[in-house]
Amino acid sequence: MIQLSLWLACLASIIAGATYFVRPQSRFTQHIGALALATHTFSLIQLLLNKDGFNFLTIGLLIAFIGNSLLWFSNRDKDLSLLLGVAFPLGAIIIALNAIEPWDLMQLHSNSWGTSAHILIASAAYSLFTAACGVGILLAIQEYQLKHHKLKQLLRVPPLQVLEQLMFEFICSRLCTVNHYYSDRLLLHRRHVCPTSGS
């Protein structure tokens, strides 16, 4: 069941990426993207529930899901079809690696769901910050090309204002996950400290 869901998610992501290249501003394309995210979600849940722990490929699967989801939601009021056309195939590669498992990676597991959630949330937070850095680099490249009048290389690349908004959306999402991560750590720390201090 896990393998089937992973390969279905991989196929859906490839189709979604190709559709965003061919029909970037179509409503049908957004539905294909939503279907790809739904299969990605199902495969991720199956992987987390049926495996003893997780490894870096599983974390990569979570990171790909969060990045693609943020781009998909932002695409409703911005034209991010080029970024989605690249992000979905990259997500398909990560999904395929989870299905094949070409490397014997060490499984990270904990008896506490809280500890596992902390690891996943922290990984997601830092991946969002990395994505924001990537968008910032793309923003700098586009600004450089505009200053040097290389407009032919900017076809279908989002405008500067759109890239700037997207970068701050990734940063805000990262700050939200980091705040949630540290608030949970503080609560767990108080639960461990309070019984000892009371005695």
Side-chain angles (χ1 to χ4, degrees), residues 112-129:
S112 170
W113 274 95
T115 305
S116 300
H118 286 325
I119 297 173
L120 293 175
I121 291 173
S123 302
Y126 286 108
S127 68
L128 288 172
F129 183 71

Side-chain angles (χ1 to χ4, degrees), residues 34-131:
L35 180 62
L37 288 176
T39 56
H40 194 150
T41 305
F42 181 73
S43 63
L44 179 61
I45 292 173
Q46 288 287 319
L47 202 62
L48 291 175
L49 291 180
N50 294 291
K51 278 203 168 185
D52 183 21
F54 50 89
N55 53 32
F56 289 108
L57 286 178
T58 313
I59 294 174
L61 191 65
L62 174 65
I63 291 170
F65 168 73
I66 294 175
N68 289 349
S69 299
L70 285 176
L71 287 175
W72 183 84
F73 279 109
S74 298
N75 190 57
R76 295 187 299 174
D77 56 353
K78 310 178 189 69
D79 184 16
L80 302 176
S81 56
L82 179 66
L83 298 181
L84 283 164
V86 174
F88 272 112
L90 289 177
I93 294 174
I94 296 175
I95 296 171
L97 288 175
N98 275 273
I100 299 171
E101 294 185 351
W103 306 292
D104 187 18
L105 298 176
M106 181 182 66
Q107 293 290 324
L108 306 172
H109 56 85
S110 173
N111 295 327
S112 170
W113 274 95
T115 305
S116 300
H118 286 325
I119 297 173
L120 293 175
I121 291 173
S123 302
Y126 286 108
S127 68
L128 288 172
F129 183 71
T130 305

Side-chain angles (χ1 to χ4, degrees), residues 154-173:
L154 298 177
L155 295 177
R156 289 181 58 184
V157 176
L160 290 172
Q161 294 85 354
V162 173
L163 285 177
E164 188 175 354
Q165 291 177 7
L166 183 63
M167 181 178 65
F168 282 109
E169 286 176 4
F170 274 111
I171 292 175
C172 290
S173 301

